[in-house]
Amino acid sequence: MLAEIITIGDEILIGQVVDTNSAWMGQKLNDIGISVKQITSISDKREAILTALNEACSHANIILITGGLGPTKDDITKHTLCEFFGASLVMNDDALNNVKEIFKRFNRPLIEVNVRQAEVPDNCQVIQNKNGTAPGMWFEYNDKIIVSMPGVPFEMVGMMEGYVLPELQKRFNIDTIFHKTIITAGLGESFLAKEIEDIEDGLPEHIKLAYLPKLGQVRLRLSAIGTNKEHVEKEVESASGLIINRIKKYVVATEDITLQEAILNHLKVNNQTLTTAESCTGGYIAHLITSIPGSSNAYVGGAVTYSNQLKQQMIGVKAETLQAFGAVSEQTVTEMALGALATYHTDFAIACSGIAGPDGGTSDKPVGTIWIAVASKDKVIAKKFLFGNKRLQNIERTATSSFYMLWKLMNNIATEEML
Amino acid sequence: MLAEIITIGDEILIGQVVDTNSAWMGQKLNDIGISVKQITSISDKREAILTALNEACSHANIILITGGLGPTKDDITKHTLCEFFGASLVMNDDALNNVKEIFKRFNRPLIEVNVRQAEVPDNCQVIQNKNGTAPGMWFEYNDKIIVSMPGVPFEMVGMMEGYVLPELQKRFNIDTIFHKTIITAGLGESFLAKEIEDIEDGLPEHIKLAYLPKLGQVRLRLSAIGTNKEHVEKEVESASGLIINRIKKYVVATEDITLQEAILNHLKVNNQTLTTAESCTGGYIAHLITSIPGSSNAYVGGAVTYSNQLKQQMIGVKAETLQAFGAVSEQTVTEMALGALATYHTDFAIACSGIAGPDGGTSDKPVGTIWIAVASKDKVIAKKFLFGNKRLQNIERTATSSFYMLWKLMNNIATEEML
């Protein structure tokens, strides 16, 4: 069963917002065995919507549309849907009650444009919106299912989880898709491919292996499609077993988790704790850790020591060290890691200090110069990195590298190996 | 001039990665006056690539493709491009030298699959890749320009900035597109629309107004297209002037910046400083602030006080307060804000504590219960929020709400107003 996702909105095309709806929908559809064949983002213009609908009908059986249902004048999706289906707009009582209730709850007067949000094409089935005013619409048209939902992520999510996904599952007797991901670190894509070339060549036609490289890590994803769920899973597990066995020293995890999740799992199993002392990443490392449910079991918190003053006050970096070597130095970052470890009484600490940019570089220490230190009770390892001149990329790379250094420290893998 | 972006990769369709390349490319193309008509994400399968190329040729004059150029077997873009153009693969010497140099620099042996990365269709002009091994390819075909680039973001960015954008600018005599964004907070989309209905109705045909709502904020974007740059800018500025004047008490900024940027600007102008004490957001607020270049002028750093122990140790929350009211309470979050302000000697502080979920809720304090406090030297304001049960959404909303509360505190706007 093939689906196409259409996201409507000029803000996506001009790059003002990143389309995260599609990724979420792709994942959920995949989980229930529906393959997404294409994701299409278009302008909220009549012709663009009509073209995309016609093309989508030639690609897929299920078409999920998000966006273009707001109350304001830039939203013309509903009128265009009427034109496409040869339908007319009618007022839907349930949708109108929903709009009224929401306005009542927030104690706002109901105005004409909001009332019109409850109008829907007369050939659709309404999907109630529990999180907003625009109703969703389910159409059946020439053997296709076409669903239109609001673009606000949590409104779309509410409709997908509450109605669309269960309904699609009920309707279709779908092939099973099974994915298995192996996270590796320390070996490049092409070297990994060479190591497991014979295994890959021996895979049956319906099992596919993909390499997804990302900053020092490569995710290997095995995907298989078939009618018998158990059989498909077994085949994939057996293939992944061969791969894992071949490249075991590069395997960080055998499920689709991040490096920081692998670290937290390791900490929990060993009943250990972690803290952070961040300068150039300014809280991003802490954020990546605390984004994970249950992280509070191992992560106690940490310091964002942006100013030199706070480096001294919070985690005891010596004024002389800062004076003699500067904030971006092996000495400072080592004192930060050891200081955080001692001050916050944990088993492990991550510290970093660098010049994230775009300004602040010197000939000595250009933008992108980053020092990272990781410390355990017995050991501290510091390493210098030279990244580029993009601030957000430097922050991202510093975080990833720091997790990688900690992961190696925890697993007693020498620093020289695997970078 | 119209462009279409095609991103290739199963990982996008199954939602394993979010397509951020397209947003970046859309923004940059727009900046030089090229409108993106459609963004299409497809599988790395021959048929999907051929269909997308054919459809794109019917929509647009410029087609930019990313992805599908890795050395491993899941990448078949180059062969499909050869088929589409009726071309053959040939070895490109410059590209091969680039591959060799990269492998030499990283001291890695060169293997067959990497050598093959230097092969390109014989009808293309090669775009050198300064950040990786896969060359970019520029094709001219039936009055269309088709460019294929790697999917790794910084490799694509390098080629776009170094070659593709300047080349497109040189080639075309393009209409000017001008955008102006007004950030508002405190009034919903439909109410804003009603306030400025007559202004919107009076806009000339070629000026478009879009409403982009996001968690308590609405961005208004005026876009105009025309041949005379100065004239277009003047028209948009005049329309935006009318709008700003009408809704001034809801205007946070008159450029496309975030609330946190507006806050930092305000702090810098007034020579003031800020700190943070985060529990449930775990560093995310600090990260959003420090993502902004130059934030170190106003932001000194702060505490991620995930554990109760660190709430006491770092910012002096009293054990009795935690005991009597719990970590998620008005009393605790107020002590956090005042404690951070006093400990780190700043003019303003943000503090938050809540139950981000998915676990940890009680009947009293369900998941999504969040307390936020903002403090200045004369005033502290605490407010309780009840968000949903999604961890990342709760973190995001807490951060946005805290910036909004701080922004109001800084601007002496009463808390009751505008939420």
Side-chain angles (χ1 to χ4, degrees), chain A residues 16 39 41 59 290 343 391, chain B residues 39 41 55 256 290 313 391:
Chain A
Q16 202 161 23
I39 298 167
S41 301
H59 307 146
T290 57
T343 311
R391 184 178 184 86
Chain B
I39 298 167
S41 301
E55 288 177 356
D256 194 5
T290 58
Q313 184 185 333
R391 184 178 184 84

Side-chain angles (χ1 to χ4, degrees), chain A residues 17-243:
Chain A
V17 304
V18 172
D19 170 24
T20 53
N21 279 355
S22 297
W24 186 89
M25 291 164 82
Q27 214 167 40
K28 295 297 168 179
L29 288 168
N30 222 266
D31 287 348
I32 63 164
I34 296 174
S35 294
V36 174
K37 189 156 169 31
Q38 182 164 325
I39 298 167
T40 306
S41 301
I42 51 166
S43 167
D44 28 33
K45 291 208 184 80
R46 176 185 161 275
E47 308 75 42
I49 296 172
L50 291 174
T51 304
L53 273 171
N54 280 312
E55 288 177 355
C57 283
S58 78
H59 307 146
N61 313 97
I62 300 165
I63 298 159
L64 303 182
I65 307 168
T66 71
L69 298 180
T72 49
K73 294 172 195 223
D74 58 327
D75 293 323
I76 55 144
T77 307
K78 270 193 311 202
H79 290 99
T80 308
L81 286 171
C82 279
E83 185 180 342
F84 182 77
F85 294 120
S88 310
L89 283 183
V90 292
M91 183 58 69
N92 181 276
D93 289 340
D94 291 340
L96 183 61
N97 285 338
N98 183 47
V99 172
K100 283 182 179 164
E101 257 170 50
I102 288 176
F103 277 75
K104 201 171 146 195
R105 201 187 319 148
F106 289 101
N107 206 14
R108 296 281 200 187
L110 191 63
I111 57 179
E112 179 58 22
V113 288
N114 296 111
V115 171
R116 281 207 303 270
Q117 288 203 282
E119 289 180 349
V120 297
D122 55 12
N123 67 328
C124 83
Q125 188 186 323
V126 165
I127 306 168
Q128 289 305 326
N129 186 350
K130 289 179 186 140
N131 303 303
T133 48
M137 294 162 274
W138 176 289
F139 302 90
E140 316 225 346
Y141 174 77
N142 291 350
D143 290 337
K144 312 279 177 195
I145 289 175
I146 301 177
V147 183
S148 167
M149 290 170 282
V152 180
F154 68 94
E155 296 183 23
M156 177 278 292
V157 166
M159 289 186 191
M160 284 290 285
E161 287 180 340
Y163 187 84
V164 180
L165 292 167
E167 195 60 28
L168 290 174
Q169 245 176 327
K170 253 193 280 168
R171 289 293 183 94
F172 298 103
N173 203 349
I174 303 165
D175 274 354
T176 292
I177 300 182
F178 184 69
H179 297 292
K180 166 97 186 178
T181 303
I182 304 164
I183 314 287
T184 72
L187 201 61
E189 185 181 358
S190 51
F191 296 92
L192 274 175
K194 213 185 159 199
E195 288 276 333
I196 58 175
E197 193 173 18
D198 58 315
I199 300 174
E200 189 174 358
D201 286 343
L203 290 176
E205 189 71 13
H206 62 285
I207 301 190
K208 222 182 142 184
L209 177 63
Y211 295 79
L212 311 170
K214 191 189 160 194
L215 293 177
Q217 291 175 53
V218 179
R219 291 192 290 188
L220 300 175
R221 193 191 59 233
L222 284 156
S223 310
I225 193 157
T227 45
N228 182 323
K229 186 165 181 277
E230 239 172 273
H231 183 66
V232 166
E233 285 191 24
K234 218 164 147 183
E235 279 186 316
V236 170
E237 289 294 353
S238 137
S240 82
L242 291 175
I243 293 173

Side-chain angles (χ1 to χ4, degrees), chain B residues 45-66:
Chain B
K45 289 207 184 82
R46 176 185 160 276
E47 308 75 42
I49 297 172
L50 291 174
T51 303
L53 273 172
N54 280 311
E55 288 177 356
C57 283
S58 78
H59 306 147
N61 312 98
I62 300 165
I63 298 159
L64 302 182
I65 308 168
T66 72

